[in-house]
């Protein structure tokens, strides 16, 4: 019951997915071939197994042979990235039907992803989704992983989301989206793709967790001593956050136990569904055990700018909702003390119309790290999800870049050539402008 | 907080109002009545004096303001392990708990805690606890024998950092009772290590031992990780320490007191003694202990995969030879140790050393590396695949960082990861080609030649660039045209020095002129016309090059430049009319 289906779209979605399932397997004790680690026979092990078995089900499907197959679908319009998974370490974890690839890619073009190339693959994807959904006793909803800037991530996702709403209207859809960053991007047209996809997907998503590549890049560079962070380092950090967010879904936890709760706790208006994420502590593996991070240390840290996954200044905005999820060796007494001691709490401003403040939960499963990664293993971690109006900064930046290019109609012919019209651009831009205004309205007091 | 002024109080670790100290004296301090404890603070500036009062010396401190006299009732001797666990994890009912009344707010809205009751219930089940953190919980002893084993036998990881443990024996008493203990962290405890008593206690499952900042010395750690040898230098009775489980030991914060300085060499043996009892140890962390490696671990540390020696300023490259033969050592962390060079004298140029046979990942951030020869030495390591070398004088300049990266990649052939960034084949190719080109001129001057018969490189060059020959084999010897140094873009460098001959007029002198390559033929004709007093339309120009004697090239298009016709320095213009 309460199963969650993950759909990974495009290069970003797939590479994050690869790292993500690797981490989930480590956390649940599943080996790369899908079999659960059956180490010691003593009572404690069995007790542990019982504890975790119940939660396997949400993300993994157990076959008769005892294999645990992830409830996931990987989709891309060209085969290279998916071939990486087909030949990678976890190839025996997934069923071949879960890895879908087309022949011709979307070439960083929303129009190709959505209209021309995407439309050829959509039916197959929906069929596979149906199959996976049928295996579920009570499907809660979908977790979509994708980037805003790529062709498949933007275009194909919009198409898919529309069709999913049509077929599964009452299921929640949560997104993990990669917001484009100039330092690691390869395409100039990312602002176009981002605006277009946000316009078409907003009404179909219930909650979108944005990850700004630039913010994560900086974290890797400064805190983890990685000289030139590659996608691999960035993804390893991103999946730690994803793991924290989905921890309550996978293990017994108090807060955000199902997808609907995310909505209830974090989303006051349907369009205002972009929470900001912050994570602490972030320690380099070379400095393991050099410093200890207590509950109060990590609580203070997650209010810091440098620990945020999206670059914006929450002090300039107001909070509408916030969740603090602790993980690992955390005592309730310490949490209360830590929160009381956090100095930043005075600079936190809530909107007037919101009755509740922070929700705090503890999940006592310790955080895991991938061996050979950049992060050190820590005893406890915290993930803060906050719906703050300050995130409108991220949209403003994107819109500005869009305007610069669109004013000159630069690169537009790539889209028009695939059958799109300028009107769609204008509509999308208008929608984003309206989104910015919505955020402003929310802040105003009556 | 007993009033007993027995001798066993001396040396105990205590806590007073959050500050940690060691008891150095117990007794009466006239003229004030009543018992006093003389303590030496961890923080050298916390105290009022150095152990003497009104002329009489009661105890000694390292620092003139390191000591104080405190009333016994103000001093906390700490608690035992089991009580500390209960204090932290067990839900306590009762009127003392005021948690219900305490509503914390953030930004004027209340904080709602969800599910805390069930968490507290879960954590109260001590027998199920696997990962326990008792940092700064004033743990000073193991407590009742067997109590821990009975109450929480399933603990796998315990963090006992910054407590009041005063001796390694106490640590063993605790760890001994935890059969499944895999990770033990006793950092920031000033531990006294035994010097001669037999330690019984086996930590057979221990994989990770963290001993950062404990003041431990090498020989002590050595012993804890499994071996009874290596104590010869100290002339100590060999200790049979049976700590097999300790896999991860963390001893941090070693402070060597004035006393210890005199016997510093002796103390170094203590690390090894601690480790003697952990036969399966895989990771050993010894950050910030002022350690210097004094002896070679023979029976101990043989299973260790990771050794962290960061921030031990006394380490130098010669000491590294003593740990060079650990068979399983895969990761060595030497950040912030002041190292500036490494040598593997057993291997010549281009050969692999027998030292550090399994070392895959070396971390040398924040050191004093300033010579490129450092990387040439690293090339000798047979298994090295990853290196982190940030914040060294050699790699500090920002604009040089990229060049530095390419040079390091080219110097160490089998490196796969540098500064946590994977080296893709494309990057390696680029780096190696750049290296080959950059030192091409030096190579030529040192006797390099693309004909292997004529290739006789100087010893000096081979030492400075051990991989150069290999690069020549891989990519071919550098061509001359590749090695032409670029002249700065000044006008005088762009002028062509040309001879001007008049084949039909043999009596005319041969002129030499300097003309820019971009000059068009028309303008050249104009110049010559003025010189020779011949109309432009009558002139016919061609040129010949000493590189291709006998071949004459006509310069027929007036609008093209000399450069277009590839006229070069030293060529000869032929003018006819």
């Amino acid at each position: 019951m309460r199963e969650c289906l993950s759909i990974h779209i495009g290069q970003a979605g797939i590479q994050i997915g690869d790292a993500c399932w690797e981490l989930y397997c480590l956390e649940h004790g599943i080996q790369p071939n899908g079999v659960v680690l059956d180490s010691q026979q003593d009572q404690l092990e069995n007790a542990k197994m019982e504890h975790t078995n119940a939660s396997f089900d949400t993300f993994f499907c157990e076959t008769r042979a005892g294999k645990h197959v992830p409830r996931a679908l990987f989709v891309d319009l060209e085969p290279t990235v998916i071939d990486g998974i087909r030949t990678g370490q976890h190839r025996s974890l997934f069923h071949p039907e879960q890895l879908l690839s087309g022949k011709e890619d979307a070439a960083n073009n929303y129009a190709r992803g959505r209209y021309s190339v995407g439309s050829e693959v959509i039916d197959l994807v929906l069929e596979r989704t149906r199959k996976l959904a049928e295996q579920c006793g009570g499907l809660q909803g979908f977790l979509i992983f994708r980037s805003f800037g790529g062709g498949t991530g933007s275009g194909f996702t919009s198409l898919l989301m529309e069709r999913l709403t049509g077929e599964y209207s009452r299921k929640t859809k949560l997104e993990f989206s990669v917001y484009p960053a100039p330092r690691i991007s390869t395409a100039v047209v990312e602002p176009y793709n981002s605006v277009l996809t946000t316009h078409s997907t907003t009404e179909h998503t219930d909650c979108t967790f944005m990850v700004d590549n630039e913010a994560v890049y900086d974290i890797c560079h400064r805190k983890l001593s990685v000289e030139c962070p590659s996608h691999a380092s960035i993804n390893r950090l991103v999946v730690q956050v994803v793991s924290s967010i989905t921890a309550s879904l996978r293990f017994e936890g108090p807060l955000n136990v199902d997808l609907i709760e995310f909505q209830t706790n974090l989303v006051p208006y349907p369009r205002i569904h972009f929470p900001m994420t912050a994570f602490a502590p972030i320690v380099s593996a070379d400095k393991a055990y050099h410093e200890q991070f207590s509950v109060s240390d990590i609580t203070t840290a997650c209010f810091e700018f440098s620990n945020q996954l999206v670059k914006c200044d929450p002090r300039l905005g107001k909070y509408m909702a916030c969740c603090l999820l602790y993980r690992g060796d955390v005592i309730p007494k310490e949490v209360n003390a830590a929160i009381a001691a956090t100095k930043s709490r005075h600079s936190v401003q809530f909107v007037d119309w919101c009755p509740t403040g922070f929700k705090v939960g503890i999940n006592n499963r310790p955080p895991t790290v991938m061996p050979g990664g950049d992060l050190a293993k820590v005893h406890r971690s915290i993930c803060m999800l906050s719906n703050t109006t300050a995130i409108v900064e991220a949209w403003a930046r994107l819109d500005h870049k869009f305007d610069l290019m669109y004013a000159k109609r630069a690169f537009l012919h790539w889209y028009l050539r695939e059958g799109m019209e300028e009107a769609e651009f204008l509509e999308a831009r208008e929608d984003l402008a309206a989104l910015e205004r919505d955020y402003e309205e929310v802040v105003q007091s009556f | 907080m007993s009033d007993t002024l027995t001798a066993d109080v001396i040396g105990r670790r205590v806590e007073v109002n959050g500050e940690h100290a060691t008891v150095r004296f117990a007794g009466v301090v006239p003229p004030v009545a009543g018992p006093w404890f003389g303590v030496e603070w961890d923080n050298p500036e916390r105290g009022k004096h150095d152990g003497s009062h009104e002329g009489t010396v009661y105890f000694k401190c390292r620092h003139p303001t390191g000591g104080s006299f405190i009333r016994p009732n103000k001093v906390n001797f700490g608690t035992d392990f089991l009580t500390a666990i209960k204090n932290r994890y067990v839900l306590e009912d009762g009127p003392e708990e005021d948690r219900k009344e305490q509503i914390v707010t953030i930004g004027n809205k209340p904080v709602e805690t969800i599910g805390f009751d069930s968490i507290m219930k879960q954590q109260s089940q001590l027998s199920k606890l696997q990962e326990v953190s008792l940092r700064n919980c004033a743990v000073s002893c193991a407590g009742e024998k067997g109590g821990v084993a009975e109450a929480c036998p399933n603990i796998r990881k315990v963090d006992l950092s910054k407590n009041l443990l005063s001796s390694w024996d106490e640590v063993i008493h605790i760890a001994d009772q935890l059969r499944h203990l895999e990770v033990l962290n006793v950092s920031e405890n000033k531990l006294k290590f035994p010097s001669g008593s037999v330690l019984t206690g086996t930590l057979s499952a221990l994989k990770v031992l963290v001993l950062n900042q404990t003041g431990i010395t090498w020989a002590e750690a050595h012993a804890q990780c499994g071996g009874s040898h290596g104590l010869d230098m100290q002339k100590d009775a060999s200790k049979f320490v049976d700590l097999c489980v300790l896999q991860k030991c963390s001893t941090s914060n070693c402070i060597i007191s004035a006393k210890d300085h005199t016997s510093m060499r002796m103390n170094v043996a203590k690390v090894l003694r601690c480790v003697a009892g952990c036969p399966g140890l895989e990771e050993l962390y010894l950050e910030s202990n002022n350690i210097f490696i004094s002896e070679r671990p023979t029976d101990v540390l043989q299973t260790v995969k990771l050794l962290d020696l960061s921030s031990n300023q006394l380490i130098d490259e010669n000491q590294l030879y003593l740990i060079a033969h650990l068979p399983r050592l895969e990761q060595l962390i030497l950040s912030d140790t002041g190292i500036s060079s490494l040598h593997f004298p057993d291997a010549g140029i281009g050969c692999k050393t027998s030292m550090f046979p399994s070392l895959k990942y070396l971390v040398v951030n924040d050191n004093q590396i300033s010579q490129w020869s450092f990387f040439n030495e690293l090339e000798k390591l047979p298994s090295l695949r990853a290196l982190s070398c940030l914040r060294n004088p050699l790699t500090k300049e920002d604009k040089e960082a990229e060049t530095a990266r390419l040079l390091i990649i080219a110097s160490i052939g089998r490196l796969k990861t540098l500064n946590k960034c994977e080296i893709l084949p494309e990057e390696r190719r680029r780096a190696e080609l750049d290296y080959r080109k950059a030192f091409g001129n030096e190579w030529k001057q040192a006797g390099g030649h693309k004909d292997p018969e004529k290739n006789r490189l100087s010893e000096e060059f081979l030492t400075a660039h051990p991989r150069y020959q290999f690069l020549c084999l891989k990519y071919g010897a550098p061509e001359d045209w590749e090695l032409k140094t670029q002249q700065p873009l000044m006008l005088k460098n762009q002028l062509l020095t040309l001879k001007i001959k008049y084949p039909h007029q043999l009596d005319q002198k041969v002129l030499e002129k300097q003309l820019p390559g971009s000059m068009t033929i028309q303008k050249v004709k104009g110049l010559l016309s003025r010189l020779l007093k011949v109309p432009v339309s009558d002139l016919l120009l061609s040129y010949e090059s000493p590189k291709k004697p006998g071949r004459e090239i006509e310069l027929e298009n007036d609008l093209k430049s000399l450069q277009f016709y590839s006229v070069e320095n030293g060529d000869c213009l032929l003018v006819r009319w």
Side-chain angles (χ1 to χ4, degrees):
Chain A
M1 289 301 283
R2 340 271 8 268
E3 295 91 351
C4 295
L5 240 164
S6 306
I7 306 185
H8 303 273
I9 307 173
Q11 179 178 348
I14 293 172
Q15 286 177 338
I16 291 182
D18 192 18
C20 206
W21 287 102
E22 188 181 337
L23 189 61
Y24 289 170
C25 285
L26 282 171
E27 288 184 358
H28 293 272
I30 300 177
Q31 289 172 308
N33 61 358
V35 177
V36 172
L37 276 174
D38 192 25
S39 39
Q40 287 146 342
Q41 294 299 317
D42 71 358
Q43 209 179 30
L44 180 71
E45 278 303 324
N46 290 336
K48 192 162 79 148
M49 283 311 154
E50 269 167 46
H51 180 71
T52 54
N53 263 341
S55 359
F56 269 168
D57 222 43
T58 18
F59 276 64
F60 290 87
C61 173
E62 190 172 353
T63 63
R64 290 237 185 84
K67 255 184 74 158
H68 288 84
V69 182
R71 298 187 195 276
L73 202 60
F74 288 75
V75 183
D76 198 4
L77 294 177
E78 57 106 16
T80 336
V81 188
I82 291 214
D83 281 345
I85 304 221
R86 289 188 180 124
T87 55
Q89 208 192 8
H90 290 90
R91 59 184 176 277
S92 29
L93 189 63
F94 302 101
H95 192 284
E97 285 196 352
Q98 293 175 281
L99 307 172
L100 297 165
S101 58
K103 296 206 186 59
E104 220 188 327
D105 81 334
N108 284 314
N109 190 333
Y110 172 90
R112 281 173 71 91
R114 170 115 196 212
Y115 300 111
S116 27
V117 185
S119 56
E120 293 164 22
V121 186
I122 185 72
D123 291 316
L124 178 60
V125 175
L126 284 172
E127 190 203 306
R128 296 284 166 84
T129 318
R130 232 168 277 137
K131 258 189 163 171
L132 283 172
E134 273 159 29
Q135 289 171 345
C136 302
L139 178 66
Q140 284 188 59
F142 302 90
L143 294 170
I144 317 279
F145 292 78
R146 53 87 166 239
S147 70
F148 277 163
T152 317
S154 60
F156 187 74
T157 311
S158 327
L159 181 59
L160 181 64
M161 295 295 265
E162 240 178 59
R163 304 285 289 265
L164 283 178
T165 311
E167 263 189 60
Y168 307 90
S169 55
R170 278 163 53 225
K171 308 288 181 193
T172 315
K173 294 195 277 301
L174 244 61
E175 256 187 58
F176 287 89
S177 305
V178 178
Y179 177 95
R183 255 190 282 189
I184 343 185
S185 78
T186 47
V188 174
V189 293
E190 287 181 348
Y192 280 162
N193 292 337
S194 309
V195 170
L196 290 167
T197 189
T198 310
H199 162 59
S200 24
T201 337
T202 306
E203 57 187 288
H204 303 292
T205 319
D206 299 300
C207 191
T208 304
F209 295 100
M210 289 206 291
V211 171
D212 182 350
N213 259 347
E214 182 134 358
V216 186
Y217 184 99
D218 280 344
I219 292 179
C220 284
H221 187 63
R222 291 201 202 123
K223 294 197 180 198
L224 301 176
S225 304
V226 182
E227 202 178 7
C228 338
S230 60
H231 283 190
S233 320
I234 293 181
N235 288 344
R236 276 194 290 257
L237 185 54
V238 172
V239 299
Q240 284 295 332
V241 182
V242 172
S243 169
S244 290
I245 297 176
T246 56
S248 288
L249 299 168
R250 294 178 291 117
F251 302 108
E252 266 171 39
L255 192 59
N256 296 334
V257 197
D258 54 33
L259 293 179
I260 299 252
E261 255 191 55
F262 276 106
Q263 270 177 271
T264 326
N265 288 339
L266 292 170
V267 182
Y269 295 96
R271 275 165 68 81
I272 314 287
H273 62 239
F274 299 95
M276 187 195 66
T277 344
F279 185 79
I282 300 176
V283 190
S284 167
D286 292 340
K287 298 210 167 159
Y289 298 105
H290 288 200
E291 254 184 272
Q292 303 292 337
F293 295 92
S294 65
V295 175
S296 54
D297 291 330
I298 58 179
T299 312
T300 319
C302 77
F303 283 95
E304 270 167 36
F305 193 69
S306 55
N307 284 63
Q308 286 169 209
L309 262 69
V310 182
K311 287 199 164 177
C312 65
D313 193 352
R315 292 169 303 181
L316 298 178
K318 290 198 178 169
Y319 284 80
M320 290 170 274
C322 191
C323 294
L324 284 177
L325 192 62
Y326 288 89
R327 219 176 151 183
D329 180 63
V330 176
I331 313 290
K333 279 190 276 190
E334 289 175 356
V335 170
N336 287 326
I339 294 180
T342 309
K343 297 197 184 89
S344 352
R345 50 193 251 273
H346 298 297
S347 59
V348 167
Q349 280 203 345
F350 269 88
V351 288
D352 298 331
W353 47 262
C354 177
T356 54
F358 273 62
K359 287 199 182 353
V360 182
I362 300 178
N363 189 315
N364 57 1
R365 299 286 304 191
T368 326
V369 288
M370 290 197 266
D374 312 314
L375 289 160
K377 193 154 183 352
V378 287
H379 288 296
R380 56 195 71 87
S381 69
I382 184 176
C383 180
M384 177 168 91
L385 303 172
S386 48
N387 199 341
T388 163
T389 54
I391 212 162
V392 75
E393 247 182 77
W395 295 121
R397 283 200 299 268
L398 205 58
D399 292 341
H400 176 66
K401 290 185 191 151
F402 179 99
D403 291 337
L404 283 175
M405 286 201 295
Y406 191 74
K408 292 289 196 181
R409 304 291 187 274
F411 302 102
L412 215 57
H413 66 284
W414 294 112
Y415 297 81
L416 304 177
R417 186 186 284 204
E418 301 286 338
M420 269 184 75
E421 290 178 9
E422 274 193 41
E424 203 174 327
F425 278 77
L426 289 170
E427 215 182 286
R429 180 66 183 88
E430 244 320 294
D431 194 14
L432 276 244
L435 184 66
E436 284 186 56
R437 283 196 298 274
D438 286 343
Y439 269 97
E440 277 168 49
E441 226 180 275
V442 151
V443 183
Q444 279 160 17
S445 5
F446 297 106
Chain B
M1 284 178 283
S2 63
D3 286 322
T4 47
L5 305 180
T6 48
D8 63 354
V9 146
I10 309 284
R12 293 274 294 274
R13 299 275 299 149
V14 294
E15 181 244 329
V16 181
N17 279 338
E19 297 255 4
H20 290 203
T22 318
V23 177
R24 295 273 184 231
F25 166 81
V28 183
V29 180
V32 187
W36 288 97
F37 283 141
V39 302
E40 182 181 2
W41 300 103
D42 283 5
N43 175 2
E45 275 148 53
R46 170 70 177 76
K48 295 204 176 100
H49 49 76
D50 65 351
S52 47
H53 179 66
E54 290 183 0
T56 327
V57 175
Y58 292 93
F59 63 96
K60 279 217 167 65
C61 286
R62 282 194 309 286
H63 212 268
T65 53
S68 295
F69 288 108
I70 311 258
R71 287 288 185 197
N73 59 355
K74 292 217 159 63
V75 164
N76 177 13
F77 277 88
T79 172
D80 66 283
F81 186 77
L82 197 52
T83 313
I85 288 199
K86 287 188 182 146
N87 284 342
R88 189 153 191 266
Y89 291 98
V90 178
L91 169 61
E92 269 168 30
D93 303 302
E96 310 95 81
E97 281 302 314
D98 55 30
R99 65 184 190 279
K100 295 269 190 296
E101 286 92 63
Q102 186 193 39
I103 296 186
V104 195
T105 61
I106 295 186
N108 80 352
K109 300 273 185 216
V111 172
E112 207 182 306
T113 59
I114 312 222
F116 273 22
D117 284 338
S118 80
I119 287 282
M120 289 196 270
K121 254 199 224 127
Q122 246 177 33
Q123 287 172 337
S124 300
Q125 296 179 301
L126 295 180
S127 56
K128 291 231 177 101
L129 283 181
Q130 290 197 340
E131 222 176 283
V132 160
S133 178
L134 290 174
R135 181 178 164 82
N136 210 1
C137 289
V139 175
S140 58
C141 59
E144 193 187 298
K145 202 170 162 85
V148 173
E150 205 187 302
C152 29
N154 291 309
I155 293 182
R156 272 159 215 269
K157 302 188 187 176
V158 65
D159 178 2
L160 279 168
S161 55
K162 208 167 176 191
N163 278 303
L164 299 177
L165 294 162
S166 44
S167 74
W168 183 252
D169 285 332
E170 272 314 313
V171 176
I172 293 297
H173 287 145
I174 297 174
D176 217 5
Q177 301 182 48
L178 302 169
R179 272 185 315 133
H180 299 283
L181 191 65
E182 286 177 13
V183 178
L184 174 63
N185 184 343
V186 289
S187 308
E188 294 177 74
N189 282 300
K190 288 222 189 2
L191 299 172
K192 211 170 48 191
F193 292 90
S195 49
S197 58
V198 174
L199 284 171
T200 49
T202 302
L203 303 175
S204 45
L206 202 70
K207 288 203 174 73
V208 179
L209 178 59
V210 187
L211 291 161
N212 297 341
Q213 298 172 56
T214 50
I216 196 171
T217 58
W218 182 248
E220 280 160 352
H222 189 234
Q224 300 318 349
C225 299
S228 49
H229 303 275
L231 304 173
D232 319 326
M233 278 175 76
Q234 315 314 320
K235 294 195 186 123
D236 279 339
S238 57
K239 269 185 254 288
F240 177 64
V241 187
D242 206 4
L243 302 168
C244 341
V245 177
L246 223 59
Q247 278 172 318
K248 216 187 222 189
C249 287
S250 186
T251 41
S252 356
N253 270 335
C254 250
I255 295 185
I256 299 188
S257 64
K259 258 195 320 192
D260 294 341
H261 275 302
T262 56
S263 54
M264 205 158 79
R265 286 181 154 259
M266 287 198 47
N267 294 339
V268 160
K270 290 180 187 165
V271 168
L272 301 180
R273 284 208 287 278
C274 289
V275 176
C278 322
L281 196 69
E282 288 180 9
E283 297 177 30
L284 177 60
Y285 296 84
L286 295 167
E287 179 236 348
S288 292
N289 278 318
N290 267 332
I291 273 201
F292 93 41
I293 304 171
S294 57
E295 51 191 275
R296 197 169 140 150
T298 39
D299 281 344
V300 297
L301 294 181
Q302 302 300 309
T303 48
V304 163
K305 287 198 185 148
L306 184 153
L307 185 57
D308 182 359
L309 291 167
S310 331
S311 303
N312 285 302
Q313 302 293 336
L314 297 174
I315 292 209
D316 70 33
E317 60 160 294
N318 291 316
Q319 294 170 35
L320 294 177
Y321 296 143
L322 294 169
I323 49 169
H325 295 278
L326 293 172
R328 302 256 180 93
L329 189 65
E330 289 178 12
Q331 242 190 66
L332 181 58
I333 306 181
L334 292 171
S335 306
D336 190 29
T337 50
I339 276 206
S340 55
S341 61
L342 270 183
H343 286 108
F344 300 114
D346 64 329
I349 302 161
C351 304
K352 298 289 178 199
T353 175
S354 61
M355 302 198 197
F356 295 108
S358 311
L359 189 65
K360 288 204 184 115
Y361 181 31
L362 177 64
V363 180
V364 286
N365 298 330
D366 302 296
N367 278 315
Q368 298 299 321
I369 297 169
S370 52
Q371 303 287 332
W372 291 113
S373 54
F374 181 82
F375 305 107
N376 290 334
E377 290 294 314
L378 290 184
E379 164 70 358
K380 295 180 184 168
L381 288 169
S383 309
L384 192 70
R385 298 287 171 265
L387 173 69
S388 272
C389 180
L390 296 165
R391 299 180 290 272
N392 278 294
L394 200 56
T395 54
K396 248 185 202 151
E397 305 296 323
D398 268 324
K399 62 176 165 65
E400 303 277 333
E402 245 225 69
T403 345
R405 189 182 163 83
L406 292 176
L407 281 172
I408 297 176
I409 294 177
S411 304
I412 310 178
R414 294 210 255 163
L415 202 63
K416 292 270 179 307
T417 311
L418 176 59
N419 295 334
K420 305 240 177 94
C421 292
E422 203 189 327
I423 301 172
L424 298 166
E426 200 27 68
E427 194 180 6
R428 170 157 288 282
R429 198 185 126 82
R430 205 164 28 106
E432 291 181 343
L433 284 172
D434 267 359
Y435 188 93
R436 172 177 152 276
K437 186 167 172 187
F439 294 103
N441 279 324
E442 239 182 85
W443 170 76
K444 271 173 85 180
Q445 279 164 10
H449 201 280
K450 58 176 173 246
D451 184 349
E453 306 274 303
K454 301 194 188 147
N455 197 15
R456 259 170 259 298
L457 283 170
S458 70
E459 211 37 58
E460 224 182 299
F461 184 84
L462 284 173
T463 321
H465 305 279
R467 282 194 87 217
Y468 204 88
Q469 292 285 69
F470 174 77
L471 293 179
C472 287
L473 279 172
K474 188 172 175 187
Y475 299 105
E479 302 283 340
D480 285 335
W481 58 265
E482 275 182 276
L483 300 177
K484 240 189 344 192
T485 39
Q486 270 210 350
Q487 300 283 6
L489 236 55
M490 290 193 286
L491 182 60
K492 72 169 184 206
N493 291 331
Q494 292 177 323
L495 293 175
L496 305 167
T497 312
L498 302 170
K499 291 202 192 52
I500 307 187
K501 281 197 193 148
Y502 311 100
H504 293 329
Q505 255 78 5
L506 294 167
D507 51 337
Q508 290 266 24
K509 280 194 291 206
V510 173
L511 283 179
E512 223 183 64
K513 279 243 169 263
Q514 284 195 320
L515 302 173
S518 52
M519 194 168 180
T520 57
I521 305 298
Q522 188 166 40
K523 298 271 164 61
V524 176
K525 282 188 181 170
L527 173 68
L528 290 167
S529 158
R530 284 195 294 276
L531 272 176
L532 304 167
K533 315 281 192 283
V534 174
V536 173
S537 44
D538 287 350
L539 289 172
L540 289 167
L541 290 185
S542 55
Y543 84 97
E544 66 177 9
S545 174
K547 286 188 194 162
K548 296 193 172 106
R551 187 143 172 244
E552 210 180 296
I553 300 165
E554 230 181 294
L555 303 169
E556 76 271 10
N557 191 338
D558 280 354
L559 297 173
K560 300 286 183 193
S561 64
L562 289 171
Q563 234 170 29
F564 174 78
Y565 285 104
S566 305
V567 178
E568 284 176 14
N569 232 346
D571 287 352
C572 185
L573 279 181
L574 303 164
V575 191
R576 296 186 179 85
W577 63 94

